[in-house]
Amino acid sequence: MAARCQIRPATPADTTRLAELERICFSDPWSQAGIREMLSASHTVGLVALIKESIVGYAMARWAADTGEILNLAVAPEHRRAGIAARLIDGLLKDLAGKAVREVYLEVRESNAPARLLYQGRGFTVAGMRRAYYRHPTEDALVLRLPLDGPA
């Protein structure tokens, strides 16, 4: 499926579908207004994955100075394990590197083994933990870090 997947920049017109993916994929989803606000921020990059013109996934990141943060990554359940999430992450990392970002962080649920494997496969390593970071259900988050300019 990933071979047929197209990646393009997210736009405010995508907000309704992205909010729908949030509700499908997460127990504490972002609101449509929050997504729209992030997509219109000058320091944010968003990408969507399409199959046959339908958005099946998205990823969003932001940056400040030389540090980036992956904020969200969602792929519709029926399209998971097809390489879509990896392509979205790779696209974000490329965009962030083009903005002179030297390191990227993200949080992931400690219990989310598939996501942890995905990020580790892209070179992220554990940098710390945030206790009770997630709600619904409450869970710790692992903070992952990836240097974009070689080992730090």
Side-chain angles (χ1 to χ4, degrees), residues 118-152:
L118 172 69
Y119 295 127
Q120 289 169 354
R122 301 258 117 11
F124 283 87
T125 58
V126 176
M129 180 180 283
R130 297 186 196 277
R131 297 275 179 212
Y133 180 80
Y134 289 103
R135 303 178 298 182
H136 312 295
T138 301
E139 186 174 347
D140 296 342
L142 294 177
V143 178
L144 304 183
R145 177 183 178 271
L146 175 70
L148 293 184
D149 59 336

Side-chain angles (χ1 to χ4, degrees), residues 65-130:
D66 64 352
T67 301
E69 178 184 18
I70 294 179
L71 301 169
N72 243 355
L73 171 67
V75 175
E78 65 273 18
H79 294 285
R80 291 182 184 160
R81 300 199 183 274
I84 294 169
R87 291 194 53 202
L88 287 165
I89 292 168
D90 292 346
L92 285 181
L93 295 175
K94 181 179 177 183
D95 285 355
L96 291 169
K99 301 189 182 320
V101 168
R102 297 179 56 151
E103 61 184 353
V104 179
Y105 290 88
L106 62 87
E107 290 90 10
V108 62
R109 281 186 183 270
E110 189 172 24
S111 67
N112 192 342
R116 290 174 58 190
L117 285 172
L118 172 69
Y119 295 127
Q120 289 169 354
R122 301 258 117 11
F124 283 87
T125 58
V126 176
M129 180 180 283
R130 297 186 196 277

Side-chain angles (χ1 to χ4, degrees), residues 34-58:
I35 293 168
R36 188 177 308 106
E37 181 180 336
M38 289 306 297
L39 285 176
S40 38
S42 62
H43 62 283
T44 303
V45 60
L47 299 174
V48 295
L50 300 110
I51 294 178
K52 296 182 182 179
E53 305 298 317
S54 177
I55 297 174
V56 298
Y58 92 98

